[in-house]
Amino acid sequence: MKRLTIRARLTLVYGGLLLLAGVVLLAVTYVLVDQRMREPLTGVRAQVVQNPFGALPGVGAADQLRILIQEAQDEAKRNALESLLTQGGVALLLISVVALGFGWLIAGRALQPLHQITGTARRIAAADAGGRGLHERIALRGPRDEVRELADTFDLMLERLDRSFDGQRRFVANASHELRTPLALNRSLLEVAMSRPGASAELRQLGETLMAVNERHERLIDGLLTLADSEQRVVDRTPVDLADIAGHLLDQVAGTPELTVRRRLAPAATAGDPVLLERLTQNLVENAVRHNLPAGGEIDVSTGTVDGRATLVVANTGPVVPGYEIETIFQPFRRLHHDRVAAPRPAPERSGARDRAGAGRGFGLGLSIVRAVAQAHGGAVHAQPREGGGLVVTVILPSLVGAVPGHLARAVPAPARG
């Protein structure tokens, strides 16, 4: 059973109190009028009994006249009380209906600050968990009452959370930048050592191994920087077509052995940062390829405009993904662990489907970056298990169809990978 809203309950309380007060007032008036009309008409009786020209011819006639007057008085009393009840009741009902209307308006006016607080909280919650919507404030105006105090406290909480999230993002970005310098220095030293004419085969092999480790760390830092940058809402937007980006990236994986690539690239014009949107698409394509190799499989990439929004759908075959694990793959440094028959891997140190990104190919940042980039552009990303195994990831972004000409939507080519 659906419960009444606070506004409806306040309206019923206002109307009920007014109706109760009206009923009490009507009852009191009824009693007072009834008591007042019970008094005998002494003046009239005196005029009937006494006559300045003499007494009436007989006592019986005077008694009959008094009886007639009393009956007329009783009839007038009944009529007056009935009119009081009927007309007063009708008036009370009409006033109660009007009072309910005014009560509804007054309750809405009184609850308007709460609606403003709820709307702000809903927008912040709908933004994402990365703290991008925490810059918004309620800034409630009006008298400093309990509701104003609640709004100010909520604003103070938002300000502290906003500072906390900004501090975390700055720390990740600064730490990643600082780590890039020693990694670049390590790469230079390894290249110099490996390029020496007298370098032995063992030294070259060791150098190649260390270069691979160094490159892996560079990719990790690059992913952290991208994740930190993409958690800021994009302000400067450029018209981009997701079909161009997807086609550019699919051309580079089309020659992968034992991999079938299907594409259905309809125009999907949107606006945003071309580099971040390319990284979003690249992560989805690479994730689809990674979960199909080395056993082979299929990738199906489609773009288009659905319900006025640009969409990108990447589906791939692969291991069965439990539905309850879908949210896990969007968390940083988390990835699903599947034992592949064609490419066996050592057992993880701890059991369970959720593992920290370790020595595998990925770091568990790919889909986290996808979600962060989509939300930074005012969009969303959803994933669901594919029937027969694999995953279907859908990205929804604001569309430019009908607002930007088609040639302008394709004016910015997909940036080159680097």
Side-chain angles (χ1 to χ4, degrees), residues 13 24 47 49 88 90 132 151 154 171 188 227 242 258 267 269 369 403 408 410:
V13 170
V24 172
Q47 293 178 3
V49 175
V90 172
R132 278 191 294 271
F154 191 78
F171 173 77
S188 300
L227 183 60
L242 296 179
E258 300 182 4
I369 294 175
L408 182 58
R410 295 184 176 86

Side-chain angles (χ1 to χ4, degrees), residues 132 230 232-234 236-237 270-274 276-277 280 309 371-380 396-398:
R132 278 191 294 271
S230 60
Q232 302 290 339
R233 186 163 294 277
V234 177
D236 298 329
R237 296 173 179 257
T270 185
D273 189 322
L276 290 179
L277 291 176
L280 177 149
R309 298 178 71 83
R371 170 176 280 182
V373 172
Q375 292 176 339
H377 286 78
I396 303 175
L397 298 174

